[in-house]
Structures are given as structure tokens and as C-alpha cells.
């Protein structure tokens, strides 16, 4: 590996603002912000809008699609329009 071209790998504090959840993860993200975590250590800090703690797919809050398919729904919606 070439020296001096790779970003620094370090532990970073990610904060999901939607779920108010904190994650300590190894990352190479570049940030100037720092925050003190509950363990008393100061870590680089990155705020996130969505993570696995708040994303609808991972939390089970995703809308369920109907059992009938897209084609059946289309035919049902436009059943009154007959081509004459």
C-alpha cells in the first residue's frame, strides 16, 4: 500500500436524529465535529437522518402492499372505462 494516500480509520459516533440512537462504528468519514459519548470518551461525530434504527424497512413500519398484484389493481381501478 502506498503511504499517505489512505484516509484515517477511527471510531466515529453516528447519531440517528430521527430515532435518537447512537452508534460507535469504525469509519473513515471526514468530520470536524466531536461529541462526548456516554462512556466518557470524545469521538468524531456525524448526524444521520436515517439509519437501521429509524428506517421503515428495518423497523417493520413499512407499508404493506395489497395481496392482489399491480395488474389486478390497475384493472380494478379502470374497469369502468371500456374501449368502445
Amino acid at each position: 500500500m502506498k503511504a499517505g494516500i489512505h484516509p484515517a480509520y477511527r471510531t466515529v459516533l453516528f447519531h440517528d436524529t430521527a430515532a435518537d440512537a447512537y452508534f460507535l462504528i469504525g469509519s473513515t468519514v471526514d468530520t470536524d465535529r466531536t461529541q462526548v459519548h456516554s462512556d466518557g470518551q470524545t469521538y468524531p461525530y456525524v448526524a444521520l437522518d436515517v439509519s437501521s434504527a429509524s428506517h421503515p424497512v428495518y423497523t417493520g413500519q413499512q407499508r404493506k402492499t395489497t395481496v392482489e398484484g399491480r395488474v389486478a389493481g390497475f384493472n380494478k381501478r379502470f374497469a369502468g372505462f371500456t374501449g368502445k
Side-chain angles (χ1 to χ4, degrees), residues 15-83:
H15 177 210
D16 181 355
T17 56
D20 196 32
Y22 292 88
F23 304 97
L24 280 175
I25 301 173
S27 177
T28 60
V29 68
D30 187 25
T31 181
D32 295 331
R33 298 172 65 184
T34 60
Q35 185 164 342
V36 177
H37 188 49
S38 60
D39 63 0
Q41 297 280 348
T42 302
Y43 296 101
Y45 173 81
V46 175
L48 303 173
D49 294 331
V50 177
S51 73
S52 61
S54 64
H55 194 279
V57 171
Y58 297 113
T59 59
Q61 302 298 322
Q62 182 180 16
R63 281 189 325 182
K64 302 293 182 197
T65 58
T66 58
V67 176
E68 63 187 31
R70 286 182 160 187
V71 174
F74 178 84
N75 290 336
K76 182 175 155 185
R77 184 180 307 143
F78 294 106
F81 297 105
T82 57

